[in-house]
Amino acid sequence: MHITQLNRECLLHLFSFLDKQSRKSLAKTCRVLLEVFRDPLLWSLLNFHSPAELKKDNFLVGPALKHLSICWYSERVKVCNIEDWMKNSFQKDFCNRHERTVTEFLLEVCARCPNLLSLTLSGCGHVTDDCISLLLKSCPNLRTLKLENCVRISDRTLEAVTLHGGSLRTLHVDFCRNITQAGLERVREKCPSVTLRAERSANMIPDSKPGKRLMLERASRKQVQL
């Protein structure tokens, strides 16, 4: 029996064991397998491990997507976690390209994936509060949001959770250095049904230029003296 003689359910099951690139390669062999590749039921789960993967055409993004994970830890991507005022021109150019890739992909998710249930972002240094807020509004069924080492995430994201995260049950904001204890307490107060975890976040030093840090330290010392 040839593989194309299998029914649609069997073909979908076989495709489910393949990674994204293998599915794309197999789909190029004939029309029947291409139709299986394009079946939304095949794309309820997506995992990405590098920024380059977001620009490939070996996956589909649509209403069937329920679980999305974007996690990477390469040395190059660590550049994106450097404070903006410390980056040289080469690093800024690299980060601008990376930012466009990530932002455009997440905006596509906001527009096309209203049934998303869980989102995990780790090492995504360019994800902004505005992007997460829009995602919470666009995906009202989102139950799990896990953010790790996303340096631009601040208390504005926590505020968006209290306003638009009605279905949210799990929120992780680990190693997000611009999250504050006050923001976390606000979530605990307004969203008691949400399981909140913030490993190291509120204890890390937030981003600020050296001059601003000095001013804050002086103001703090004055308050102590008074």
Side-chain angles (χ1 to χ4, degrees):
M1 175 183 286
H2 192 271
I3 186 173
T4 56
Q5 294 177 288
L6 295 172
N7 61 35
R8 187 61 163 257
E9 289 73 18
C10 288
L11 290 173
L12 283 170
H13 185 65
L14 290 174
F15 264 74
S16 69
F17 290 98
L18 304 176
D19 59 32
K20 295 187 293 294
Q21 190 55 48
S22 297
R23 292 177 184 180
K24 182 67 174 181
S25 299
L26 187 57
K28 291 180 178 179
T29 60
C30 71
R31 180 183 57 80
V32 173
L33 298 181
L34 178 59
E35 290 179 356
V36 175
F37 175 84
R38 291 173 175 172
D39 193 316
L41 294 176
L42 190 61
W43 303 102
S44 62
L45 168 67
L46 280 175
N47 294 310
F48 297 94
H49 304 288
S50 76
E53 290 184 19
L54 298 178
K55 296 187 289 186
K56 294 183 177 180
D57 62 347
N58 59 1
F59 60 90
L60 296 181
V61 173
L65 183 62
K66 299 292 182 63
H67 307 282
L68 173 62
S69 173
I70 306 175
C71 304
W72 48 71
Y73 307 95
S74 73
E75 291 298 324
R76 292 182 64 195
V77 173
K78 288 182 179 179
V79 172
C80 301
N81 289 323
I82 299 174
E83 297 175 10
D84 288 339
W85 58 271
M86 293 181 63
K87 296 173 184 174
N88 58 38
S89 58
F90 172 79
Q91 291 171 329
K92 287 179 180 179
D93 181 62
F94 171 81
C95 290
N96 286 337
R97 295 197 304 271
H98 184 186
E99 181 175 4
R100 285 193 296 271
T101 299
V102 175
T103 300
E104 288 173 2
F105 178 79
L106 288 178
L107 289 177
E108 185 178 3
V109 171
C110 289
R112 302 179 62 181
C113 306
N115 301 310
L116 192 67
L117 296 178
S118 71
L119 172 65
T120 299
L121 302 175
S122 181
C124 299
H126 292 305
V127 175
T128 64
D129 294 315
D130 289 337
C131 199
I132 297 299
S133 179
L134 179 59
L135 192 138
L136 286 166
K137 295 176 184 177
S138 304
C139 305
N141 299 319
L142 191 69
R143 296 180 61 85
T144 300
L145 176 60
K146 296 182 179 180
L147 307 173
E148 177 185 301
N149 198 20
C150 296
V151 298
R152 290 194 177 184
I153 295 302
S154 72
D155 286 357
R156 288 180 57 207
T157 286
L158 300 183
E159 183 65 22
V161 166
T162 65
L163 295 174
H164 312 296
S167 298
L168 210 62
R169 292 296 175 267
T170 301
L171 174 63
H172 293 178
V173 282
D174 299 332
F175 295 90
C176 296
R177 61 180 180 247
N178 290 302
I179 293 290
T180 70
Q181 191 63 46
L184 296 173
E185 291 300 329
R186 196 174 301 116
V187 173
R188 291 190 178 100
E189 177 187 349
K190 295 187 176 182
C191 307
S193 62
V194 173
T195 301
L196 176 61
R197 192 181 80 183
E199 186 178 348
R200 298 287 297 275
S201 291
N203 297 323
M204 300 179 78
I205 300 174
D207 292 348
S208 58
K209 290 186 178 182
K212 184 177 179 181
R213 287 177 183 168
L214 182 60
M215 292 174 62
L216 291 172
E217 290 173 359
R218 288 175 177 174
S220 178
R221 285 196 295 268
K222 287 183 179 179
Q223 289 179 353
V224 171
Q225 291 172 357
L226 292 175

